[in-house]
Amino acid sequence: SESLDVERIREDFPILEREFAGEQLAYLDNAATSQTPDQVVDAIAHYYRHTNANVHRGLHQLSQEASIAYEDAHDRVADFIGADGRKEVVFGKNTTEAMNTVAYAWGLAELEPGDEVVMTEMEHHAALVTWQQIAKKTGAEVKYARVDDDGYLDMDHLRELVTDDTEMVSAVHVSNTLGTINPVSDIADIAHEHDALCFIDGAQSVPHMPVDVKAMDADFFAFSGHKMCGPTGIGVLYGKEHLLEEMQPYLYGGMMIEKVTFEESTWHELPWKFEAGTPPISQGIALAEACDYLDDIGMENVQRHGEALAEYAYDRLSEFDDIDILGPPGDDRAALVSFNLGNVHAHDASEILNDFAVAVRAGDHCTQPLHDKLGIPSSTRASFYIYNTEEEVDKLVEALDAARELFA
Ligand code: PMP
């Protein structure tokens, strides 16, 4: 697209120059993990070369510098998603851990028999399994709002399911399998009309579109650094301050503590209360750098580019009668396209694609129940980011031609 200088951006990602057996890499597995620009790699290296120390505890200069950088990173991330500041931003390992933090810290304490948790059929296992298991522990019931034949969330069904018995509505913002973009502020409204809380899984939205947690009015929101030009080992839990304040921590030890006796302990202020042990210091600092990197490009531009590529891929793949595409139409989806080629198993297709150095994902993408519902064991997913091009989509389509011939 015209709004992004892709050639310029690609210079920040030397990994994209890699070749396999003479074929240049086409990295189309961004929904799993995005690549990391030099600016972020440099931020990690700079931290370890110049500032590395444990945080919060030391009075020595290095520890103070590391602490300030790590704490400031929370403010930078808060600003990126429209949160009120570091008190609402808990750093952890990934989206999955953020989900589990709320499930254990809030769910285990609050849910009881008769209570209901409403999810959607397109939830990632990170949400689905977590609430399913917490429901089993507490005697609460789990319900799933339907996905319709076009891959959209059936909002009427969601409205039916959410009642005064509902305590939590947990919904994915962007489906990592269907590419559906859910109307999350409407979902939050529905939850709040029934005094339920709402947890939005932003793993596939924050990397790809402007997100404002206050405007959507999510109570909790989670995402991962490694899908947005940041490193692995860092994920973010956003929570409204008063909710995080009321919740008890679920991991103990280290800097989450204020005062300890042999009998009792009290907790440190937010967000540290939820960051037990030595936290992901370099990763947090690098995530702040990733926010700078994306903001320099502009999140509107990031979104436009990814969605334009998805639409292009959708249109190209639609040329073939034997390709079944999952999810909404090409002009109404996020930056990914999942599909099946005839009766070729997704794993076989992706192996052939790999021979052309086209990197895609094959499997159930951690949405097994959704694949079951669709009556397919798996799918192949191409997912796009700021450095991808239409030529790479063309290469995907050519490689699929080869797969078709091989399995004919
Ligand atoms: N939710 C969604 C929608 C995702 O796409 C992913 C990553 N596949 C996750 C949650 C889990 O993210 P992580 O593995 O970083 O915890």
Side-chain angles (χ1 to χ4, degrees):
S1 76
E2 299 99 51
S3 46
L4 279 194
D5 188 349
V6 175
E7 285 312 308
R8 166 67 208 85
I9 286 171
R10 287 180 76 91
E11 288 171 11
D12 297 332
F13 296 85
I15 198 169
L16 299 175
E17 290 160 24
R18 286 207 61 189
E19 292 184 0
F20 302 102
E23 292 279 355
Q24 168 145 19
L25 169 66
Y27 187 78
L28 305 180
D29 193 19
N30 295 285
T33 286
S34 61
Q35 294 303 340
T36 320
D38 280 342
Q39 289 83 339
V40 172
V41 176
D42 289 348
I44 297 168
H46 186 273
Y47 169 78
Y48 281 109
R49 291 209 170 101
H50 299 281
T51 321
N52 182 37
N54 213 324
V55 290
H56 295 312
R57 294 160 219 203
L59 284 176
H60 63 80
Q61 186 62 28
L62 271 187
S63 175
Q64 287 183 35
E65 285 181 20
S67 300
I68 288 168
Y70 179 68
E71 291 169 14
D72 285 354
H74 289 68
D75 293 331
R76 179 66 188 92
V77 171
D79 181 57
F80 193 73
I81 58 167
D84 273 347
R86 64 180 64 177
K87 288 192 163 172
E88 297 191 321
V89 169
V90 177
F91 282 177
K93 192 163 50 162
N94 48 38
T95 303
T96 307
E97 186 180 82
M99 198 74 75
N100 276 269
T101 297
V102 173
Y104 277 88
W106 176 87
L108 214 48
E110 298 294 329
L111 294 175
E112 52 189 36
D115 290 342
E116 296 178 357
V117 174
V118 175
M119 289 191 266
T120 80
E121 288 179 339
M122 63 173 97
E123 289 316 295
H124 188 279
H125 295 166
L128 197 152
V129 178
T130 302
W131 289 119
Q132 177 190 68
Q133 293 303 312
I134 289 294
K136 283 189 199 296
K137 283 185 204 292
T138 57
E141 197 182 337
V142 176
K143 295 187 167 170
Y144 299 96
R146 270 192 302 266
V147 172
D148 71 19
D149 291 344
D150 300 319
Y152 291 106
L153 182 60
D154 182 340
M155 289 297 285
D156 290 335
H157 190 221
L158 182 79
R159 267 185 214 96
E160 261 169 52
L161 289 184
V162 178
T163 68
D164 290 344
D165 291 330
T166 309
E167 295 295 323
M168 173 62 75
V169 177
S170 184
V172 71
H173 192 174
V174 170
S175 163
N176 63 309
T177 298
L178 302 171
T180 314
I181 303 167
N182 285 321
V184 281
S185 45
D186 294 345
I187 295 173
D189 285 347
I190 294 168
H192 295 152
E193 277 160 25
H194 295 274
D195 289 327
L197 298 180
C198 134
F199 194 132
I200 302 299
D201 173 354
Q204 298 294 346
S205 62
V206 174
H208 294 279
M209 58 185 67
V211 163
D212 184 330
V213 291
K214 294 294 174 190
M216 85 174 61
D217 204 19
D219 298 296
F220 300 105
F221 187 93
F223 57 102
S224 297
H226 66 92
K227 297 179 198 282
M228 53 181 289
C229 294
T232 53
I234 177 87
V236 177
L237 168 64
Y238 158 82
K240 285 181 180 165
E241 185 179 342
H242 74 97
L243 293 171
L244 293 177
E245 206 64 75
E246 288 157 19
M247 278 156 56
Q248 291 297 305
Y250 112 96
L251 291 172
Y252 301 107
M255 71 189 194
M256 50 78 64
I257 269 131
E258 184 188 57
K259 183 162 174 33
V260 186
T261 69
F262 283 122
E263 290 77 31
E264 275 305 329
S265 302
T266 58
W267 317 134
H268 204 347
E269 65 182 356
L270 290 175
W272 324 123
K273 182 172 96 175
F274 291 103
E275 294 189 7
T278 298
I281 306 167
S282 66
Q283 295 93 326
I285 292 168
L287 177 60
E289 187 70 30
C291 292
D292 286 348
Y293 185 81
L294 290 171
D295 271 343
D296 279 350
I297 296 171
M299 287 308 294
E300 282 89 2
N301 296 328
V302 171
Q303 179 172 22
R304 207 175 301 126
H305 181 73
E307 293 180 5
L309 278 178
E311 183 171 6
Y312 180 71
Y314 185 96
D315 290 345
R316 290 252 27 218
L317 294 171
S318 300
E319 292 165 16
F320 302 94
D321 292 339
D322 61 351
I323 292 182
D324 282 325
I325 303 177
L326 279 50
D331 60 358
D332 191 25
R333 53 166 55 236
L336 63 93
V337 181
S338 303
F339 58 91
N340 275 298
L341 170 65
N343 291 326
V344 181
H345 194 281
H347 286 128
D348 293 329
S350 70
E351 253 184 68
I352 309 287
L353 295 183
N354 185 51
D355 291 341
F356 291 81
V358 176
V360 295
R361 185 132 303 236
D364 59 45
H365 320 303
C366 295
T367 56
Q368 258 179 45
L370 176 65
H371 277 78
D372 286 346
K373 177 193 160 88
L374 296 173
I376 48 177
S378 59
S379 56
T380 302
R381 180 183 69 193
S383 54
F384 311 104
Y385 213 22
I386 43 179
Y387 33 71
N388 289 125
T389 63
E390 291 192 348
E391 289 71 33
E392 290 175 316
V393 175
D394 293 339
K395 198 173 176 200
L396 164 74
V397 173
E398 281 162 34
L400 284 169
D401 282 343
R404 178 182 293 110
E405 271 167 39
L406 211 80
F407 286 95

